[in-house]
Amino acid sequence: MNAPAAPLSPYSSAIGKSNVETHTLSVLVDNEPGVLARVVGLFSGRGYNIESLTVAEVAHTEQLSRITIVTSGPPEAIEQIGHQLERLVPIHAVTDLTLRGNAVERELAMIKVAGTGASRDEALRLAEAFRARVIDTTIESFVFELTGAASKIDQFVELMRPIGLVEVSRTGIAAMSRGKDPI
Amino acid sequence: MAREMTGAEMVIAALKDQGVDVIFGYPGGAVLPIYDVLYDHQHAIHHVLVRHEQGAAHAAEGYARSSGRPGVMLVTSGPGATNSVTGLTDALMDSVPVVCITGQVPTHLIGSDAFQECDTVGITRHCTKHNYLVRSVDDLPRILHEAFYVARHGRPGPVVIDIPKDVQFARGSYFGPKNAEHKTYRPQLVGDPEKIEQAVSMMAAAKRPIFYTGGGVINAGPQASRLLRELVAATGFPITSTLMGLGAYPASGENWLGMLGMHGTFEANNAMHDCDLMIALGARFDDRITGRLDQFSPGSEKIHVDIDPSSINKNVKIDLGIVGDCTHVIGALLERWRARGCEADAGALKKWWAQIGKWRARKSLSYRRSDKVIKPQRAVERLYAATKGRDCYITTEVGQHQMWAAQHYHFEAPNRWITSGGLGTMGFGLPAAIGVQMAHPNALVVDIAGEGSILMNIQELSTAAQYRLPVKVFILNNEYLGMVRQWQELLHGGRYSQSYSAALPDFVKLAKAFGAHGISCSDPADLDAAIAEMIETPGTVLFDCRIDKTENCLPMIPSGKAHNEMILPDDADLEAEIDALGKALV
């Protein structure tokens, strides 16, 4: 999914090569069949980049889901992504949380680490420092659960690698604006 | 006021409630229940049996674009749906309201690779504005009415409703279209008043302004064209239009510069390049319009009015974007211009018009006349002369003939010019003409065609014959896929790879075989009489107009060039005009 940020159009060199930025978009959608396919298809069809995507129902009675997408590209492309998303009929609202600033972003990861002896102790010590919880254990392995900013999870995974990292499962980013108002 | 009925009956009831009196379609196993109900309602809903589902889609487009009402098509599952895809994509690109009802295999067979099953909503997701798979008859009335709402509102487009056969048989409660809006889809129609004020100020201050209008003005309805004419008259600004927008402002109007873009006029393109204020109304800065983007109108401020927010700042950086419907926004601009007592800068405008006059004097649409061979431009000119003042609609296929038609046929009113702009679909014109004729039974409908394009949907002659539709097919026959040949001449050193039509049919005999009248003409001296014969012959006519085989469509902005770098008809070396970068473009 991490294809290089695609240009806006074959002629986009004329728009100016601006810096690639990473933005988090919060998209409220009708929870109907095919809505995720529409969103994902829009990104692939127009050559936009998806770095992370999460989706789940957030209001059962209204049948609303929230899709949180982390995307990257020049600012013009990101503005265009927002508008293109808004064109989709089942989409209620698109908010660029990065543009608004001051959003909280969290991700959950499960990290499986195998090892015995000193490396096992080291894994536990580091997990404590990161406030990772042990959610499964055998004599020669742990599964840690860690919640936090994506960068924190990246860091933890890197530390586990030499100790005996087996595999990682990450949810992708969920995000919300700070303060009392809704997105 | 719910009424108990089957899903198939709901489809027909909804079509009636939506005021649909014509549908284009082709039956098949998965839509038989709907066709069975239709059997009892043939007087209320006139069904046109096309010969290929692509034809149904283009006919629905022709119907919609000439009447302003949504076009409706009814096709079966599997191949019925996939054959519709080109037409749906065409309607999406050109923002045409089309409602396409497809049959689907019964719900319990979906996903089993059943006979004539395909993932219709999956396949059409990218070529429709929206689509639905109806899983329960209880959802059907809402979806049917919602589909019409979505197709028509905002930027119009095609909507597919895929109805499994068991849902067509199932019974449920039907309700009418009252309150059948989509629960959240509410396009913004009225422009931001502050931005309107700002736009009016920019217009009053402009020294070299230009209106650049597109299909959005036509889609907004005839009132938008009326207001546009008033606004142009009130300001005295020059106006040009895209291919899709022709007719919104009359070609006979004093401020008309002709079409702009790749095959636009010298004056329109140069005025776009040199203007200091561009007012884009319902146009989308397509690559055929802008040419080389980094040299596109470098010194101008740009106002862009569009109902689709994603059109604004998509290809070109805009200084003032106004989201709204053209009728509302043009009306508001006009109202504020008058209320504030604005006047254009008369001195500056006079100079601007003097400069435009110099560009006009180049007569960029001129061509070398001949009394030996029919020049295609001449053929369109004579057709125009013969049909001028009549209740006439023109459709086209795609290629050189389309551009010659756009250049040399002059439109005075909106909805009279129906061509495939965005997708550039060869085979569009004949089925579209059938759709137009169904909407306007007494009008003269002419498909200006090429001999290549017409063969892509020639089977629809059979449809025209069945319903005795007097469509006239005016084929500019140069025995070449002309635009391909022209590009091969320009870009590939005259290596005419696969662009010669080596085994063309005898179009006169072909017409006869379909029960139509055939005319062939190759002598310029006979042209007027032959055109008169075409117009006066009742019924379908196929006119094989044998034209100059190697005429190029000029003027032209070569690929990768700017508006002020046009090739004019008197320029000699075409190939030298295009650099390596340009050759890589389409």
Side-chain angles (χ1 to χ4, degrees):
Chain A
M1 282 212 271
N2 288 323
L8 261 182
S9 79
Y11 294 72
S12 69
S13 56
I15 295 175
K17 290 202 171 61
S18 17
N19 292 333
V20 169
E21 296 177 0
T22 300
H23 283 232
T24 306
L25 307 179
S26 182
V27 186
L28 203 60
V29 303
D30 282 327
N31 183 16
E32 63 180 34
V35 67
L36 184 60
R38 283 180 212 285
V39 170
V40 174
L42 185 142
F43 275 74
S44 64
R46 293 187 184 264
Y48 305 140
N49 191 22
I50 298 178
E51 294 190 350
S52 150
L53 182 144
T54 63
V55 54
E57 189 174 72
V58 291
H60 184 69
T61 42
E62 296 95 342
Q63 295 214 313
L64 293 177
S65 290
R66 184 178 304 283
I67 301 178
T68 308
I69 306 168
V70 181
T71 182
S72 62
E76 303 87 3
I78 289 175
E79 186 194 331
Q80 201 33 226
I81 291 170
H83 288 314
Q84 291 292 349
L85 284 169
E86 282 165 348
R87 282 177 81 186
L88 299 180
V89 172
I91 287 191
H92 292 229
V94 180
T95 310
D96 185 333
L97 291 171
T98 309
L99 211 59
R100 271 181 147 214
N102 205 23
V104 271
E105 298 186 358
R106 288 294 180 268
E107 187 175 7
L108 185 143
M110 293 183 197
I111 301 112
K112 185 176 283 184
V113 181
T116 50
S119 62
R120 191 171 162 82
D121 295 343
E122 184 60 21
L124 265 186
R125 247 197 311 279
L126 285 166
E128 205 172 318
F130 275 81
R131 293 189 197 139
R133 294 202 305 141
V134 177
I135 55 174
D136 177 71
T137 181
T138 65
I139 291 168
E140 47 193 354
S141 73
F142 290 117
V143 175
F144 295 112
E145 174 201 312
L146 178 59
T147 307
S151 57
K152 176 179 165 182
I153 293 170
D154 290 343
Q155 205 185 349
F156 185 72
V157 168
E158 282 317 305
L159 287 170
M160 287 299 133
R161 199 175 296 283
I163 294 173
L165 182 73
V166 178
E167 61 188 359
V168 182
S169 177
R170 299 171 71 152
T171 57
I173 285 167
M176 191 161 275
S177 62
R178 290 179 195 268
K180 69 177 169 56
D181 297 323
I183 289 173
Chain B
M1 264 271 296
R3 283 178 286 153
E4 187 82 8
M5 60 178 77
T6 67
E9 287 167 339
M10 287 179 187
V11 170
I12 301 303
L15 292 181
K16 282 187 182 173
D17 283 347
Q18 290 288 342
V20 175
D21 53 6
V22 178
I23 64 174
F24 304 90
Y26 205 101
V31 276
L32 284 180
I34 298 172
Y35 272 88
D36 189 63
V37 178
L38 188 63
Y39 195 67
D40 293 327
H41 296 85
Q42 293 177 58
H43 295 291
I45 297 176
H46 197 142
H47 179 274
V48 177
L49 177 66
V50 294
R51 298 302 187 262
H52 185 288
E53 289 88 349
Q54 186 190 351
H58 295 322
E61 287 186 88
Y63 182 91
R65 287 178 57 181
S66 65
S67 71
R69 300 189 294 271
V72 181
M73 56 186 291
L74 173 61
V75 298
T76 193
S77 62
T82 56
N83 278 345
S84 308
V85 164
T86 301
L88 293 169
T89 313
D90 193 271
L92 182 70
M93 290 288 271
D94 285 345
S95 309
V96 188
V98 169
V99 173
C100 172
I101 298 167
T102 56
Q104 181 57 277
V105 300
T107 317
H108 68 275
L109 287 180
I110 290 180
S112 72
D113 298 325
F115 176 64
Q116 293 196 329
E117 184 192 356
C118 74
D119 177 7
T120 301
V121 286
I123 289 169
T124 60
R125 195 170 283 134
H126 298 272
C127 62
T128 54
K129 181 175 173 186
H130 195 47
N131 62 15
Y132 302 85
L133 170 60
V134 186
R135 288 162 188 277
S136 158
V137 74
D138 299 330
D139 297 331
L140 187 56
R142 173 185 60 83
I143 288 175
L144 284 163
H145 297 306
E146 203 176 279
F148 278 88
Y149 172 83
V150 169
R152 268 201 309 255
H153 286 78
R155 183 172 174 177
V159 177
V160 163
I161 313 170
D162 195 29
I163 313 178
K165 198 168 179 182
D166 56 327
V167 175
Q168 298 171 32
F169 279 125
R171 294 187 73 83
S173 300
Y174 173 78
F175 55 83
K178 210 177 161 198
N179 305 325
E181 300 171 333
H182 188 271
K183 63 182 168 187
T184 52
Y185 181 67
R186 297 282 179 284
Q188 184 179 340
L189 299 180
V190 180
D192 178 345
E194 254 174 60
K195 290 184 172 180
I196 304 267
E197 294 296 340
Q198 211 182 326
V200 169
S201 302
M202 287 162 81
M203 284 161 62
K207 309 250 180 262
R208 300 183 308 280
I210 187 166
F211 285 111
Y212 148 47
T213 66
V217 180
I218 312 253
N219 270 337
Q223 176 68 1
S225 293
R226 280 193 286 274
L227 291 166
L228 174 68
R229 291 161 191 221
E230 280 190 57
L231 184 62
V232 172
T235 56
F237 294 174
I239 174 168
T240 180
S241 159
T242 66
L243 181 74
M244 297 302 293
L246 296 176
Y249 185 83
S252 62
E254 319 175 4
N255 297 33
W256 178 240
L257 302 188
M259 182 176 76
L260 83 159
M262 185 172 267
H263 293 288
T265 65
F266 189 66
E267 53 271 31
N269 285 331
N270 273 288
M272 285 287 279
H273 186 269
D274 285 7
C275 67
D276 73 340
L277 178 67
M278 180 185 298
I279 308 139
L281 303 171
R284 61 183 180 90
F285 296 87
D286 176 87
D287 57 73
R288 299 293 100 159
I289 294 305
T290 60
R292 183 170 176 161
L293 262 186
D294 59 358
Q295 288 172 24
F296 173 70
S297 195
S300 66
E301 287 194 294
K302 298 170 187 77
I303 300 172
H304 188 185
V305 177
D306 206 293
I307 198 156
D308 178 2
S310 74
S311 284
I312 296 169
N313 282 325
K314 182 171 69 180
N315 299 332
V316 168
K317 186 93 192 74
I318 298 301
D319 299 284
L320 179 65
I322 304 177
V323 176
D325 177 80
C326 276
T327 308
H328 286 88
V329 178
I330 296 172
L333 289 170
L334 182 64
E335 194 272 324
R336 294 312 299 154
W337 177 271
R338 284 177 175 158
R340 282 167 53 178
C342 291
E343 274 177 38
D345 181 336
L349 209 53
K350 198 174 164 200
K351 266 200 234 162
W352 181 223
W353 274 111
Q355 173 59 55
I356 290 170
K358 286 183 197 156
W359 289 323
R360 271 182 175 157
R362 289 296 301 268
K363 296 196 182 304
S364 60
L365 295 180
S366 60
Y367 56 92
R368 210 162 285 144
R369 313 249 156 188
S370 167
D371 52 10
K372 302 222 163 31
V373 58
I374 299 177
K375 289 284 181 178
Q377 302 94 329
R378 174 90 183 145
V380 176
E381 274 177 5
R382 295 319 299 162
L383 177 70
Y384 172 64
T387 55
K388 195 177 170 184
R390 297 180 70 125
D391 181 15
C392 184
Y393 292 81
I394 300 291
T395 71
T396 75
E397 312 287 335
V398 169
Q400 281 184 321
H401 67 272
Q402 176 190 29
M403 292 298 116
W404 283 317
Q407 291 172 338
H408 298 279
Y409 200 99
H410 307 294
F411 296 91
E412 295 297 305
N415 303 101
R416 297 283 170 161
W417 162 246
I418 289 104
T419 191
S420 170
L423 193 64
T425 310
M426 292 171 70
F428 173 85
L430 175 56
I434 288 171
V436 174
Q437 192 81 72
M438 287 305 297
H440 307 277
N442 300 317
L444 174 65
V445 183
V446 183
D447 170 25
I448 299 180
E451 85 291 340
S453 285
I454 193 65
L455 287 175
M456 281 212 186
N457 270 323
I458 192 74
Q459 77 286 349
E460 298 306 328
L461 274 180
S462 180
T463 309
Q466 178 175 344
Y467 298 94
R468 298 199 168 78
L469 300 176
V471 297
K472 316 298 178 195
V473 183
F474 190 65
I475 304 171
L476 299 179
N477 181 353
N478 56 7
E479 298 177 16
Y480 276 104
L481 304 178
M483 196 60 96
V484 173
R485 194 207 59 78
Q486 176 170 340
W487 279 55
Q488 287 173 334
E489 181 183 332
L490 264 57
L491 301 166
H492 297 279
R495 289 153 55 85
Y496 299 120
S497 179
Q498 304 298 325
S499 53
Y500 183 67
S501 306
L504 284 172
D506 177 332
F507 283 106
V508 174
K509 283 188 187 155
L510 183 75
K512 202 162 282 173
F514 278 107
H517 180 63
I519 300 172
S520 179
C521 180
S522 53
D523 186 340
D526 300 336
L527 183 61
D528 280 350
I531 289 174
E533 182 189 342
M534 174 182 87
I535 294 168
E536 280 149 26
T537 305
T540 315
V541 180
L542 200 58
F543 187 127
D544 182 12
C545 186
R546 315 297 293 259
I547 57 161
D548 188 344
K549 291 182 191 179
T550 55
E551 185 75 5
N552 283 324
C553 185
L554 295 170
M556 179 179 185
I557 303 176
S559 305
K561 295 281 184 174
H563 273 168
N564 59 350
E565 299 176 290
M566 292 197 84
I567 306 176
L568 291 168
D570 41 12
D571 288 336
D573 187 5
L574 298 181
E575 200 177 355
E577 298 279 343
I578 301 172
D579 57 22
L581 180 70
K583 285 184 187 180
L585 299 172
V586 288

